């Protein structure tokens, strides 16, 4: 089942995220932040839960787009399925859910960000219709003081 994350899910989500960014010293998923996301019309943190276990997560933001009337575009980050649950269709279900929600919101496109080192994930994204040859993404991290 896919549902919106709840504050009580913070520690499990944090463990998943630490697999995505094992060298990040500042990574902390706060219950209060999850609640803030739940109340925000343009942000969604979804989890895949089965047998009372969170097995995967995905975060999306609907961004205002100045080029397509009042239609947004969707950004996707923090796509993760727990190591023991991969290859069982969970990631595909999460991506399909994002597509469904994006279509309902009349989003013009879905922009997915993934670490350059996650080559297996890139194959997975390509197999699910995402084209990594259209654009090139850049990030600049701002130091936390």
């Amino acid at each position: 089942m896919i549902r919106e994350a709840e504050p009580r899910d913070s520690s499990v989500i944090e463990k998943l995220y630490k697999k995505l960014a094992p060298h990040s010293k500042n990574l902390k998923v706060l219950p209060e932040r999850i609640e803030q996301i739940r109340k925000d019309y343009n942000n969604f943190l979804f989890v895949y839960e089965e047998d009372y276990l969170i097995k995967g997560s995905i975060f999306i933001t609907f961004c205002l787009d100045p080029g397509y009337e009042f239609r947004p575009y969707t950004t996707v980050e923090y796509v993760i399925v727990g190591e023991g649950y991969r290859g069982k269709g969970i990631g595909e279900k999460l991506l399909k859910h994002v597509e469904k929600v994006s279509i309902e919101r009349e989003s013009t496109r879905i922009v997915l960000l993934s670490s350059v080192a996650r080559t297996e994930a890139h194959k997975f994204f390509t197999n699910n219709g995402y084209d990594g040859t259209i654009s090139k993404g850049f990030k600049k991290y701002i130091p936390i003081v």
Side-chain angles (χ1 to χ4, degrees):
M1 155 180 81
I2 296 173
R3 63 170 174 79
E4 281 191 68
E6 298 174 4
R8 64 181 166 87
D9 302 325
S10 64
S11 63
V12 177
I13 293 169
E14 185 174 310
K15 285 178 188 169
L16 287 171
Y17 286 4
K18 286 188 176 185
K19 295 291 184 178
L20 283 174
H23 303 294
S24 177
K25 297 173 189 164
N26 298 314
L27 186 63
K28 183 73 179 152
V29 177
L30 299 173
E32 299 85 0
R33 184 57 144 190
I34 292 176
E35 186 60 30
Q36 184 181 24
I37 291 168
R38 287 175 60 84
K39 292 178 179 178
D40 189 310
Y41 178 73
N42 288 313
N43 290 282
F44 295 88
L45 178 56
F46 295 113
V47 294
Y48 182 91
E49 182 180 56
E50 188 175 74
D51 301 324
Y52 303 101
L53 295 172
I54 293 174
K55 298 182 176 183
S57 181
I58 194 165
F59 176 68
I60 67 172
T61 298
F62 289 102
C63 302
L64 299 178
D65 189 335
Y68 292 90
E69 299 172 344
F70 290 102
R71 297 175 67 187
Y73 66 92
T74 310
T75 62
V76 178
E77 286 199 273
Y78 294 107
V79 181
I80 183 75
V81 173
E83 290 175 359
Y85 308 118
R86 294 181 186 160
K88 300 177 193 284
I90 294 169
E92 185 175 349
K93 288 176 185 174
L94 286 165
L95 289 176
K96 294 286 184 209
H97 187 72
V98 165
E99 288 179 36
K100 178 182 171 282
V101 174
S102 295
I103 290 167
E104 289 169 357
R105 294 282 292 267
E106 298 183 332
S107 187
T108 59
R109 65 193 173 282
I110 300 171
V111 177
L112 188 148
L113 298 174
S114 178
S115 171
V116 71
R118 296 184 68 215
T119 55
E120 287 301 312
H122 301 165
K123 291 176 192 172
F124 168 75
F125 297 138
T126 300
N127 289 340
N128 279 277
Y130 291 81
D131 188 341
T133 65
I134 295 173
S135 300
K136 183 172 183 167
F138 295 87
K139 288 184 181 180
K140 182 176 184 177
Y141 288 98
I142 304 200
I144 298 173
V145 282

